[in-house]
Amino acid sequence: MASRAVIKTSMTDRDRMEKIVSLAKRRGFIFPGSELYGGLAGTWDYGPLGTELKTIVRNEWRRRFVLGRTDMVQIESAILMNARVWKASGHLESFTDPMVDCRQCKARFRADKIDLAAACPQCGARDFTGARPFNMMFKTFIGPVEDSAAQIYLRPETAQGMFTNFKAVLDTMRPKLPFGIAQIGKAFRNEITPGNFIFRSREFEQMEIEYFIRPADWEAQFEAWLKEMRGWIASLGLDAARVHEREVAAEDLAHYSKRTVDIDYDFPFGREELYGIAYRTDFDLGQHAQESGADLGYFDEAAKERFVPHVIEPTFGLDRTVLALLLEHYQEEGAKDGTRVVLKFPPRIAPVKVAVFPLLANKPQLVERARGIFERLQGWRRAMGEGLVAWDDRGNIGKRYFSQDEIGTPWCVTVDFQTLEDGTVTVRDRDSAEQERVAEPDLVALFEERLKA
Ligand code: ATP
């Protein structure tokens, strides 16, 4: 088949966002949280394809930053932590956003995210209260007594788990500086105004690294990690023209940071933070040493000196990564046979790696042969630990291709009558829409080769 004439259709930013939200729901990537009961603001459930996409992103991140290095260990700390952790880290005191209320309609807003001189976006009144700090940590109680002594918090970041386990990691694994502790896990923030789909939710996932260094090395390490982050972003296929590094001004730095660079992405709703990197000095280890009374120092054998390491923290939001991937790779192409929607994920990232079709569903020989190929390919993905194989025998082949394009499946394998004669199948490529004939035993090697590209 000749490759199709491709005309990219134009889309407004708003359209793009709406289309992504609708596609995500329709095709099983992301559903509104608790929808059966009318929803729960700021929460989202990942469906089968979204879960696979997240799994692949987590694995890629782990392969790159943990398995691919000799200076990194990974942990999983508890979401519930002793409340003193948050006293020491400064979150109890200052993990706040400024909040204003509209006196007329009672709607609440983040004071730094709306124009207070303008009308209320909800009711049009011009009657805001003054801004006051609102602590974003979710409170809960541990044990059966609901009094202030039992009050704890859901962690608002994974980072503190690395600091509170620093000594345990040091004592058990004996790493030498510089080294990092990585963690992937859920974080919770009672955002005043969640929104923009999964960009700002109340429950989300972070992939964070606390990289412990000698204080004198901080500038070089900061640059090295910024470079690592750029490499990661490029590996996701995000267009560098849409990614912007923003030096956070001294007066806007978080209480623990001496330097922060936010890595922003041009989302349809504006240029907003995707990731961040901060030089946290020895603030956290110092605070925990003081609050707990433990010695959180490191003994440098070579220099025969003991000191509290400093920290560079690259932080990556998993949900914002998923959103950027969906937005970046969503394309509509006008074709003679209708608009084709394609998620042009890099094949490594695609949740479904390959789809298998029998040309005709009512020919048992074709179905049986295709089923065998489907199962063998599934065995291949099972061994890899990620990436789905789809089966489709509905409608005509054209419709099946369109359906796979929409979820970003890089290759479709069709078993036809020629397969029964010579053992070859057609492999159709998502991006070029070209088909080639491949001998069935060569399929896995072909896909592995292309996944490396
Ligand atoms: P923002 O300024 O957008 O509120 P932040 O500066 O508070 O973000 P950090 O505290 O640096 O964010 O959190 C680290 C990462 O966690 C962010 O770069 C982002 O990817 C992710 N993240 C933070 N808050 C949310 C949220 N409410 N929903 C989804 N991801 C989030």
Side-chain angles (χ1 to χ4, degrees), residues 354-366:
V354 46
V356 180
F357 316 143
L359 180 66
L360 299 168
N362 58 1
K363 294 281 181 241
Q365 273 177 304
L366 295 183

Side-chain angles (χ1 to χ4, degrees), residues 95 110 113 157 189 191 198-202 204-206 208 256 262 272-276 315-320:
F95 195 62
R110 248 176 84 170
K113 294 280 176 192
E157 61 175 29
R189 295 181 188 179
E191 296 278 359
I198 52 173
F199 176 81
R200 188 176 301 288
S201 45
R202 291 186 165 128
F204 56 97
E205 201 163 330
Q206 295 181 316
E208 295 196 296
Y256 52 75
D262 281 348
E272 296 277 356
E273 176 175 334
L274 175 63
Y275 303 143
T315 174
F316 306 72
L318 178 53
D319 309 80
R320 288 187 189 178

